[in-house]
Amino acid sequence: MSNDAALKEPFESLDRQRLSAALGMWIFLASEVLFFGGMFLGMTIYRQIHPDAIMEAARETNVLFGSINTALLLISSVTMVLADKAAEKGLKSAVLAFLAATAALGLCFLVLKGFEYREDIHEHLVPGPDFKLHTPAAQLFFGFYWIMTGVHAVHLTIAIVAVSTYFVRIWRGGFPFEGSAALPVLGLYWHLVDIIWIFLYPLLYLGGRT
Amino acid sequence: MTDAAAIRSAEAKEPPSYLKAGRTVASWLTTTDHKRIALLYFGSITFFFFIGGAAATLIRLELISPEGRFFTNDGYNRLFTLHGVIMVWFFLVPSIPTTFGNFLLPLMVGAKDVAFPRLNLMSWYLNMAGGLLVLACLILGGVDTGWTFYTPFSSMFSNGYVVLAAAAVFVAGFSTIATGVNFIVTVHVLRAPGMTWFRLPLFVWTQYATAAVIVLATPVLAISLLLLMAERLFGLPIFDPAHGGDPVLFQHLFWFYSHPAVYIMVLPAFGVISEIVTCFSRRRIFGYTAMIWAILGIAVIGFFVWGHHMFVAGMSPFAALVFSFLSFVVAVPSAIKVFNWTFTLYRGQIYFEAPMIYALGFIGLFTTGGLSGLFTASLPIDVHVTDSYFVVAHFHYIMVGGSVSAFFGALHFWWPKITGRLAPDRWARFSAILMYFGFNFTFFPQFVMGYLGMNRRYHHYAPEFQIYHVTSSAGAAILAAAYLLPMGYLTWSLFYGRKAGDNPWGATGLEWQTTSPPPRENFVEQPRVDEGPYLYHPDQVAPFEEAPERRQQHDPQGKSDPTRAGMEE
Amino acid sequence: MTAQTRSRTDRAELWRLSRGSLVIGVALMALLALTLVFAYVPMGAWNAPVSYAIAAAKALLVAAFFMKLKSSPALLTLAALAGLFWLATLFALSLTDYPFRQAGERITAPVPSRIGTESPL
């Protein structure tokens, strides 16, 4: 119990409070898994019904953007863990540096994603009358592509905003980051956003490449 | 049960009740007190209950005559959609968990508050945001898809405000997820010293199981609605058959939530009934452990049965067989619960106070609803009654006869704890009985006409069904009176009702050990628990025959208490 | 302790703390390279299972070490497993439907020219 300032009602010990925060976040993450799971189910079923059309569409995504973005998110997960570990030891400048790196990597991901979207639109990969491919079921793939990457980007944006908020609060001082459950819990959320992308990557970028 | 002496000795320096802890509107709107948030929720769900009820009234009015006198086809579609959307997502799903669950869960486990008080308040604001969206949808003209939002009608053809209604449900879903997370963590982390898992009241167990169902099912509803909105707004082909998409996929995702949602509505009701039946039969609950496994069994198996809503939707025969079998399986734990309540009554000292009448009514109506559920689980009968009034009657028996009866039972049972006042007893009993008869008048004819071929969602119908519709509408008027009466006498009791005292029913449970209404911090001193729940009589001794003098005193109306004699209203 | 020695011990401590995570990070990048290479190796039906197996391995590393499931109370793992169990339920029971559809109710691939004119069913 290094820091009583982090203790809030209705808890009487910091350990219980940290356990509660972690448990609450894990339960929410289970919920998130099912949220994305619904879309993965849809893709699984359509891929089974229309294997050729879906593979044909999957070839159209830009594997270079996808792979660089995967790497960015994996690295950002490492920096997020390091921020958390530094916080446990009370190393303020290291916490700030790692949080800044995490948010910056997340932003890079979004910027790259934006360029990728521009290219997709340019190549007529938005479902509609002038869609690039003529197989109708190929549009199903891109329907899911836009929603899944879009929803993931929303999650990542929320995570970046949260990381930046904590960066500012710790930078200004007075925020009891050593004992607070905020950073580990934020880390859990960040890693889940990463894990979702880990599964989106083979689904959206690696299919039909052979 | 607790260290009652310590509490009593502390009574001299009693802190003010949670109601008096702040009097400004801001002190209510920014409160993090779970009891005040429960009352905020109570206000909002009551509001939506009466909006949904007004829609139901108009529906029953329209159905009195077979030629559809008052509404256009489109108007009637919008009416029953609105009734369904509001009643399901803005009354039934949040009803017991966000009001009685919020109020009682921390009290029952002996905690100061829920684990995340600010998240709890945010949950109410999210619910209000969803509520505003649904009201906006109502004012602009409503939706005509039915509460199930089936594609491709909802995504491509409907000319109602589908996106607005779906967004309302989406936002309200987040609010229930927040409540669910809060409840699970509270039960895991904040139980009082000595309050082991197998000493928890069954109400807490049902709230825990409900929270788990909410957290795991609601996201799938959210994603199905999000996909629907994307298809409607941006023309992305997700469920579009012209692109090889499958509209039945939407139904799979929708019912993965919406069948477990029935258990979100009825599991908390099970908890309420367990509390009331034990208290008013002065009897330990029969099969406490079996009850817990039944609760958890329903919560888990309830996820395996969603396909029985889709038997005629073009699903594979293999899936239909699997879902039919699993739907029969989920009836087993429900039956265990009904039998255990009945065995609890056996050799008990039954007192017919108003909450008990609601509870007994629940058992009867829930059993009828559950048994008719077996009909609809069975493939050949379901094909015959699909989309008929038989199904309408079945789920109203569960959701209205079950959940709403339990809600009113809970309201009367914990009213003294929440407000510190007793409700007028005769009026309460009268409206409980009235509700039971009004309900059966309304919905039993619907079983019959549904079986005979009356389709749901039509306002033109063959004249031979008119007698059933008229009976049903007459019953609905009685039912409406039974819902409105408590509004009157409960409000009256706030000002003129007799002061309740800490434990007017002589009930067990930590919530009755503190004052009525409880202080902000719930307990003056941290309660400690060293016994199981429902100890209404010594172990192995039925109350009536062996030891009548040993049972706890039950004297809610204070007739035998000379100090109270002058306080009759 | 002077400011300089303090910052040196801090740096040493930080290095000691972060070594493990950096190793996991390198492993993750290696797996990413591996899955990218395998995507271009023709393995017929095996391409998809291999790429998802590698994704699962990456997710497992992140969950066990970055999300600290390995060193946390079992309760947190239980919450994670609950999510996976219900996801498996959603998949398993939905897949009792699609592969077993009867001929008339199977989803067929629509031909391009028929788009917008009529539904394939």
Side-chain angles (χ1 to χ4, degrees):
Chain A
M1 262 174 258
S2 55
N3 206 327
D4 285 343
L7 189 63
K8 293 202 185 78
E9 283 282 310
F11 295 100
E12 309 205 318
S13 89
L14 208 53
D15 287 346
R16 302 297 278 174
Q17 183 176 334
R18 285 171 72 102
L19 173 68
S20 300
L23 177 60
M25 183 45 92
W26 268 109
I27 294 164
F28 178 69
L29 296 188
S31 192
E32 288 276 22
V33 164
L34 279 148
F35 182 73
F36 281 94
M39 292 187 278
F40 277 97
L41 174 73
M43 276 294 263
T44 309
I45 284 168
Y46 285 158
R47 190 179 150 145
Q48 190 218 1
I49 297 175
H50 313 290
D52 298 336
I54 298 288
M55 284 301 113
E56 184 193 351
R59 263 192 290 280
E60 297 296 324
T61 52
N62 189 322
V63 73
L64 184 65
F65 277 127
S67 306
I68 295 175
N69 265 345
T70 313
L72 285 179
L73 270 196
L74 290 176
I75 298 168
S76 79
S77 262
V78 177
T79 57
M80 188 71 224
V81 173
L82 296 183
D84 181 28
K85 292 206 165 173
E88 272 175 29
K89 297 289 167 192
L91 308 171
K92 184 171 165 180
S93 56
V95 176
L96 288 175
F98 285 128
L99 281 184
T102 309
L105 287 163
L107 267 181
C108 284
F109 176 99
L110 287 182
V111 170
L112 269 188
K113 193 77 213 152
F115 282 117
E116 189 186 347
Y117 279 158
R118 198 179 65 172
E119 191 188 294
D120 294 335
I121 293 168
H122 187 69
E123 288 193 22
H124 297 286
L125 289 173
V126 183
D130 51 355
F131 189 70
K132 184 179 180 187
L133 303 170
H134 296 294
T135 323
Q139 298 198 19
L140 290 175
F141 177 89
F142 272 92
F144 275 105
Y145 167 84
W146 286 97
I147 297 181
M148 290 173 108
T149 55
V151 172
H152 178 266
V154 170
H155 278 79
L156 186 57
T157 310
I158 294 169
I160 293 171
V161 169
V163 168
S164 314
T165 312
Y166 281 109
F167 176 85
V168 172
R169 286 178 73 181
I170 295 170
W171 182 56
R172 278 196 189 150
F175 181 69
F177 61 90
E178 292 171 82
S180 166
L183 273 189
V185 163
L186 180 57
L188 289 178
Y189 183 74
W190 190 278
H191 298 313
L192 183 89
V193 175
D194 187 15
I195 286 182
I196 302 281
W197 185 264
I198 286 176
F199 283 99
L200 284 179
Y201 175 61
L203 182 76
L204 300 176
Y205 293 94
L206 297 183
R209 297 288 164 186
T210 51
Chain B
M1 187 166 182
T2 57
D3 203 355
I7 291 176
R8 228 165 270 134
S9 69
E11 260 175 4
K13 43 173 181 154
E14 202 170 88
S17 83
Y18 77 101
L19 292 167
K20 291 179 180 154
R23 288 181 182 277
T24 57
V25 175
S27 79
W28 281 88
L29 292 180
T30 59
T31 184
T32 52
D33 181 356
H34 65 101
K35 301 183 287 300
R36 287 190 162 209
I37 294 170
L39 292 195
L40 290 176
Y41 260 118
F42 194 77
S44 58
I45 66 160
T46 306
F47 173 74
F48 282 111
F49 179 68
F50 281 103
I51 296 212
T57 311
L58 292 176
I59 291 170
R60 285 318 321 167
L61 192 67
E62 173 78 349
L63 290 171
I64 288 176
S65 72
E67 64 268 19
R69 231 172 246 179
F70 303 110
F71 293 97
T72 58
N73 294 344
D74 194 41
Y76 185 74
N77 289 345
R78 283 162 200 258
L79 201 57
F80 69 69
T81 303
L82 199 81
H83 169 69
V85 168
I86 287 182
M87 282 303 203
V88 169
W89 283 298
F90 294 93
F91 176 71
L92 282 165
V93 165
S95 63
I96 296 178
T98 60
T99 55
F100 299 107
N102 247 333
F103 196 97
L104 295 166
L105 191 77
L107 282 167
M108 283 181 164
V109 301
K112 282 185 199 163
D113 207 320
V114 291
F116 311 114
R118 282 191 300 169
L119 181 69
N120 201 13
L121 181 65
M122 191 188 89
S123 145
W124 184 71
Y125 277 103
L126 279 174
N127 189 275
M128 286 297 90
L132 285 180
L133 286 172
V134 88
L135 286 180
C137 173
L138 165 67
I139 290 164
L140 287 171
V143 205
D144 56 350
T145 58
W147 74 281
T148 47
F149 299 117
Y150 272 10
T151 55
F153 179 67
S154 59
S155 58
M156 294 161 82
F157 304 108
S158 162
N159 53 13
Y161 292 86
V162 178
V163 172
L164 210 51
V169 174
F170 188 88
V171 174
F174 272 108
S175 121
T176 53
I177 290 179
T179 301
V181 170
N182 233 331
F183 282 8
I184 295 177
V185 177
T186 305
V187 176
H188 270 287
V189 181
L190 288 175
R191 281 171 286 124
M195 181 58 98
T196 58
W197 282 93
F198 288 92
R199 286 177 184 165
L200 288 173
L202 289 174
F203 183 80
V204 175
W205 271 105
T206 56
Q207 292 300 322
Y208 179 77
T210 307
V213 177
I214 286 176
V215 166
L216 294 163
T218 316
V220 181
L221 171 75
I223 195 61
S224 67
L225 293 175
L226 193 73
L227 292 172
L228 163 63
M229 287 189 268
E231 180 161 355
R232 192 173 165 92
L233 284 177
F234 306 114
L236 299 181
I238 303 291
F239 306 113
D240 178 9
H243 291 92
D246 182 21
V248 177
L249 177 62
F250 174 82
Q251 298 184 23
H252 276 300
L253 293 173
F254 181 84
W255 288 114
F256 183 84
Y257 165 81
S258 292
H259 192 78
V262 176
Y263 301 106
I264 296 175
M265 300 168 201
V266 84
L267 274 172
F270 290 166
V272 169
I273 300 310
S274 301
E275 301 295 318
I276 296 177
V277 163
T278 49
C279 176
F280 292 100
S281 55
R282 318 306 299 162
R283 192 85 164 88
R284 293 186 180 201
I285 191 86
F286 185 91
Y288 173 73
T289 328
M291 288 296 240
I292 291 172
W293 292 117
I295 290 166
L296 297 178
I298 291 171
V300 174
I301 302 168
F303 274 95
F304 302 163
V305 303
W306 79 82
H308 65 221
H309 294 266
M310 302 158 56
F311 283 156
V312 298
M315 217 169 42
S316 77
F318 175 61
L321 270 177
V322 170
F323 281 119
S324 174
F325 170 74
L326 290 168
S327 305
F328 279 106
V329 172
V330 79
V332 175
S334 306
I336 288 175
K337 299 195 70 73
V338 170
F339 283 124
N340 281 3
W341 290 319
T342 317
F343 283 132
T344 305
L345 294 173
Y346 174 65
R347 292 178 80 190
Q349 293 258 299
I350 299 172
Y351 292 86
F352 292 98
E353 303 289 342
M356 186 61 159
I357 299 176
Y358 280 114
L360 294 174
F362 169 94
I363 296 175
L365 299 177
F366 175 75
T367 306
T368 314
L371 288 175
S372 62
L374 293 179
F375 288 55
T376 48
S378 138
L379 271 168
I381 300 179
D382 186 74
V383 171
H384 174 63
V385 298
T386 289
D387 274 345
S388 78
Y389 264 83
F390 188 90
V391 175
V392 175
H394 157 67
F395 69 72
H396 278 88
Y397 263 82
I398 299 287
M399 284 149 63
V400 184
S403 301
V404 179
S405 290
F407 181 81
F408 275 87
L411 188 60
H412 287 82
F413 187 54
W414 282 294
W415 186 255
K417 182 51 65 183
I418 295 171
T419 65
R421 303 279 183 163
L422 280 166
D425 187 52
R426 284 196 189 148
W427 279 106
R429 292 188 211 206
F430 174 69
S431 67
I433 293 167
L434 197 66
M435 186 185 293
Y436 183 80
F437 284 102
F439 180 86
N440 278 309
F441 260 113
T442 312
F443 291 103
F444 201 81
Q446 300 188 1
F447 273 130
V448 182
M449 68 173 140
Y451 194 81
L452 293 176
M454 174 70 212
N455 270 325
R456 70 191 283 203
R457 296 182 171 175
Y458 283 75
H459 67 141
H460 296 273
Y461 55 85
E464 63 261 35
F465 294 123
Q466 189 173 16
I467 176 71
Y468 303 108
H469 274 302
V470 168
T471 317
S472 183
S473 295
I478 300 174
L479 197 54
Y483 291 147
L484 287 168
L485 265 180
M487 285 283 280
Y489 64 74
L490 288 179
T491 312
W492 178 88
S493 80
L494 281 180
F495 303 100
Y496 309 105
R498 212 144 28 80
K499 287 246 183 343
D502 293 358
N503 190 359
W505 313 114
T508 63
L510 286 181
E511 81 268 31
W512 300 107
Q513 310 274 332
T514 185
T515 51
S516 308
R520 168 69 182 89
E521 301 276 298
N522 289 348
F523 300 95
V524 176
E525 225 167 84
Q526 170 74 64
R528 280 168 201 287
V529 184
D530 47 21
E531 284 174 315
Y534 310 120
L535 296 182
Y536 286 103
H537 55 85
D539 200 14
Q540 306 289 324
V541 180
F544 182 63
E545 293 185 23
E546 284 85 352
E549 75 286 352
R550 274 197 282 171
R551 68 172 194 262
Q552 288 193 18
Q553 196 192 3
H554 176 80
D555 182 30
Q557 304 306 319
K559 301 253 163 44
S560 61
D561 184 353
T563 60
R564 276 174 166 191
M567 295 167 73
E568 289 286 328
E569 73 257 5
Chain C
M1 202 192 315
T2 67
Q4 208 181 358
T5 55
R6 195 194 135 96
S7 91
R8 195 175 304 144
T9 51
D10 276 6
R11 215 172 296 150
E13 170 131 5
L14 197 59
W15 170 244
R16 200 176 53 74
L17 277 178
S18 44
R19 242 178 344 198
S21 307
L22 290 176
V23 170
I24 307 289
V26 170
L28 285 172
M29 299 306 275
L31 284 171
L32 170 61
L34 193 68
T35 191
L36 188 59
V37 170
F38 270 124
Y40 287 91
V41 178
M43 291 183 288
W46 284 96
N47 275 92
V50 166
S51 63
Y52 288 112
I54 293 177
K58 282 195 276 186
L60 206 62
L61 283 178
V62 173
F65 296 101
F66 289 179
M67 300 170 95
K68 298 180 226 163
L69 272 189
K70 206 161 168 286
S71 53
S72 297
L75 183 57
L76 303 188
T77 314
L78 197 69
L81 287 180
L84 292 182
F85 175 77
W86 263 271
L87 183 67
T89 303
L90 174 65
F91 270 72
L93 284 172
S94 296
L95 293 176
T96 60
D97 178 8
Y98 288 89
F100 303 99
R101 288 263 173 106
Q102 283 178 304
E105 273 138 6
R106 223 169 273 150
I107 307 293
T108 48
V111 231
S113 63
R114 288 169 70 194
I115 289 190
T117 52
E118 55 176 320
S119 103
L121 300 177

